[in-house]
């Protein structure tokens, strides 16, 4: 059995990286991007952020289809609602295209404290754009962790708090990890995946 990963066309990412764009927000932020669901660890990320928001200089931006009714969850939690009214927590709903890529490009970090992922395209897109990735081991990016191209977190709220503070206090180190993630992503460019596919087919033919 041979397994080939998904590939991405690098052109849209290069356009966003090299184009004359501005950040979608005036203030720095971290990003959660994906299906809004408890299995993705969003509850724990929200609580961790709320616990130490006063110590953080960045906001929390959440983008994706709201399958877990998080608009209601935030509105019914006094402290989360206050943070939302203050602009510290932003729920954007689904995002696509250039808007999505710009959100990733300008984020200080991408957080995914998920219970499990097959192959997260949001993580891969973050790698392509040099956005530092904070993810659980269950996100199945062990090679990125081994190459210091992503930062391991757990679903534990206290661990997420420590990770948020680490980002706050070590932005140069975290940016360097984001750069390594960008280099790591090159192997997932569609042209390289295509070459792997051709090589695999040729190996079958020769057998």
């Amino acid at each position: 059995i041979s397994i080939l990963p998904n590939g991405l066309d690098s052109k849209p990412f290069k356009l966003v990286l090299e184009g004359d764009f501005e950040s979608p927000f005036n203030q720095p932020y971290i990003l959660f991007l994906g299906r809004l669901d408890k299995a993705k660890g969003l509850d724990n990320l929200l609580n961790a952020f709320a616990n130490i928001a006063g110590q953080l200089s960045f906001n929390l931006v959440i983008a994706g289809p709201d399958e877990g009714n998080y608009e209601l969850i935030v509105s019914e939690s006094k402290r989360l609602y206050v943070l939302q009214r203050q602009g510290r927590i932003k729920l954007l709903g689904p995002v696509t295209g250039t808007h999505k890529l710009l959100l990733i490009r300008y984020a200080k970090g991408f957080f995914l404290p998920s219970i499990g992922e097959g192959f997260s395209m949001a993580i891969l897109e973050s790698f392509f754009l040099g956005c530092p990735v904070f993810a659980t081991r269950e996100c199945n990016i062990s090679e990125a962790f081994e190459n210091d191209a992503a930062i391991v977190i757990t679903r534990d709220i206290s661990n997420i708090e420590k990770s948020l503070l680490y980002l706050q206090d070590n932005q140069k180190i975290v940016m360097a990890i984001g750069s390594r993630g960008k280099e790591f992503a090159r192997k997932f460019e569609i042209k390289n995946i295509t070459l792997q596919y051709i090589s695999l087919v040729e190996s079958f033919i020769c057998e």
Side-chain angles (χ1 to χ4, degrees), residues 34-54:
R35 178 168 49 86
L36 276 55
D37 187 275
K38 190 171 184 178
K40 299 284 188 179
L42 183 53
D43 294 65
N44 290 2
L45 178 58
L46 278 166
N47 283 306
F49 181 84
N51 287 346
I52 59 170

Side-chain angles (χ1 to χ4, degrees), residues 63-161:
D66 189 359
E67 297 183 9
N69 207 12
Y70 279 88
E71 284 282 0
L72 180 63
I73 290 172
V74 170
S75 68
E76 290 185 343
S77 167
K78 182 176 180 180
R79 64 178 188 157
L80 294 179
Y81 180 68
V82 168
L83 287 169
Q84 185 184 35
R85 290 293 300 270
Q86 293 172 343
R88 300 298 311 279
I89 294 175
K90 302 178 187 292
L91 294 167
L92 303 185
V95 293
T96 59
T98 301
H99 183 203
K100 178 181 70 171
L101 298 185
L102 287 172
L103 280 173
I104 299 171
R105 175 190 172 183
Y106 286 103
K108 294 294 184 183
F110 172 83
F111 277 73
L112 187 59
S114 178
I115 196 170
E117 298 288 326
F119 189 83
S120 170
M121 296 304 291
I123 287 179
L124 185 54
E125 289 167 339
S126 297
F127 284 147
F128 265 78
L129 291 166
C131 178
V133 170
F134 293 73
T136 56
R137 292 195 181 278
E138 291 76 15
C139 288
N140 290 309
I141 53 169
S142 58
E143 188 177 354
F145 293 140
E146 291 166 4
N147 287 277
D148 200 20
I151 298 170
V152 180
I153 62 174
T154 71
R155 288 170 54 82
D156 183 72
I157 291 175
S158 63
N159 178 268
I160 298 173
E161 290 173 5

